[in-house]
DNA sequence: GTCTCGTTACTCGGATATCTGGTGTCCGAGTTTCGAAGG
DNA sequence: CCTTCGAAACTCGGACACCAGATATCCGAGTAACGAGAC
């Protein structure tokens, strides 16, 4: 069970967008961390479909956060990239074979599924409890001038 | 991010082994839920390597739990099948590109990695807090006679 | 009758194919800007 | 000088290859049990 690296890219990019506070083309966002621009674009499209960022086409366009960083949870970003389906998917094997249960029990989920779901809910709750603003604030504790550095770089860099 | 179905198979099989309480060949365990025996065997090998079950070769052999169900957590089973690596793997993109941080910060993990790790720890803690015995007990609340049924089936079935 | 040995049947174990989904790339769609030409 | 039109540059958007890991299968390795034969 491995999470796609698109999640890492998306999170860092969201923090960067929070620092920059305006529309930034994907080429610039990719250059910030030496990422393949076309593939990062794919991830940002997913964020756009989820309403986390908005896209503006044409010159001067790019991506920017759709709402304030305090209103974007890590759960929002993760489910936008990875999908909202549960990591553990019950295939109901309890209904097959010699050890199958009585169909009367099919209404409630099986014990295994329930246990796994409980753990996954704890994970989701933790992700929903942290926002992009929190991560940004934590990063600024060690790198206070990052916002200014990025802003300077964006305005003064030529392509 | 999808968890392999081997986890579901392994968990159900562990509960079944807890009910049966003796060595059971993989063919029988697979028949309990109409699973491909050879592939279930692969999963059980992983459990054996992790010390969760022990294998006995030859006639009358099979797999059985290596210790009491109360001592087997869901975390043990999941990490045996899926591996112990973190789902979110930080590739340290903060060190690359125009937006790279000062190398002095490389000692401590980046804020994004930290946040994701926190959530994943909550998930792991929840999994480690539940045992095979708990799941078994919960299942018995709805199907009290399952242990007896499985035991009868195993002793009276002809191949 | 009992011991021994060989054969048989049974079961795990790891090496080997197949396939789905994540990874990576490309070109077309849409929009703004700028400049030139006409009035 | 102002307006209008067109071309070009820029950026997102989705469609198209590629590859690693999960899925599935098979045959060989190891072991216990059983029976036949000798003592």
């Amino acid at each position: 069970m491995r999470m796609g690296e698109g999640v890492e890219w998306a999170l860092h990019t969201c923090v960067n967008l929070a620092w920059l506070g305006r529309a930034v083309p994907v080429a610039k966002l990719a250059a910030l961390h030496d990422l393949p621009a076309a593939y990062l674009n794919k991830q940002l499209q997913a964020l756009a479909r989820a309403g986390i960022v908005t896209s503006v086409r044409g010159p001067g366009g790019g991506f920017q956060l759709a709402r304030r960083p305090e209103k974007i949870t890590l759960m929002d970003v993760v489910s936008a990239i990875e999908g909202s389906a549960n990591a553990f998917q019950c295939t109901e094997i309890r209904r097959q074979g010699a050890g199958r249960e009585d169909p009367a029990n099919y209404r409630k989920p099986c014990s295994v599924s329930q246990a796994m779901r409980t753990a996954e809910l704890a994970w989701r709750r933790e992700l929903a409890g942290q926002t992009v603003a929190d991560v940004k604030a934590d990063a600024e504790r060690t790198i206070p001038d990052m916002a200014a550095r990025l802003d300077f770089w964006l305005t003064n860099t030529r392509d």
Side-chain angles (χ1 to χ4, degrees), chain A residues 73 75 117-130:
Chain A
T73 69
M75 182 77 258
R117 183 169 182 76
T118 299
E120 204 160 326
L121 282 178
W123 176 69
R124 293 190 128 83
R125 188 181 317 120
E126 204 68 32
L127 283 181
Q130 298 188 73

Side-chain angles (χ1 to χ4, degrees), chain A residues 74-132:
Chain A
L74 301 193
M75 182 77 258
D76 294 332
V77 177
V78 169
S79 61
I81 301 293
E82 293 282 325
S84 56
N86 286 332
F88 179 87
Q89 288 181 327
C90 183
T91 59
E92 296 289 343
I93 62 173
R94 62 170 171 165
R95 304 189 184 185
Q96 307 165 359
R100 63 178 167 280
E101 301 178 3
D102 189 308
N105 301 128
Y106 292 175
R107 301 190 138 205
K108 62 188 303 191
C110 74
S111 306
V112 169
S113 170
Q114 191 96 36
M116 295 301 287
R117 183 169 182 76
T118 299
E120 204 160 326
L121 282 178
W123 176 69
R124 293 190 128 83
R125 188 181 317 120
E126 204 68 32
L127 283 181
Q130 298 188 73
T131 69
V132 169

Side-chain angles (χ1 to χ4, degrees), chain A residues 27-28 39 41 65 70 85 89 92 97-98 111 120 128 144 146:
Chain A
K28 299 286 179 60
Y39 191 32
N41 183 28
L65 293 183
E70 298 87 24
Q89 288 181 327
E92 296 289 343
S111 306
E120 204 160 326
M146 185 57 98

Side-chain angles (χ1 to χ4, degrees), chain A residues 57-70:
Chain A
R57 303 233 279 214
F63 290 95
Q64 61 183 338
L65 293 183
R67 51 182 188 270
R68 301 204 330 255
E70 298 87 24

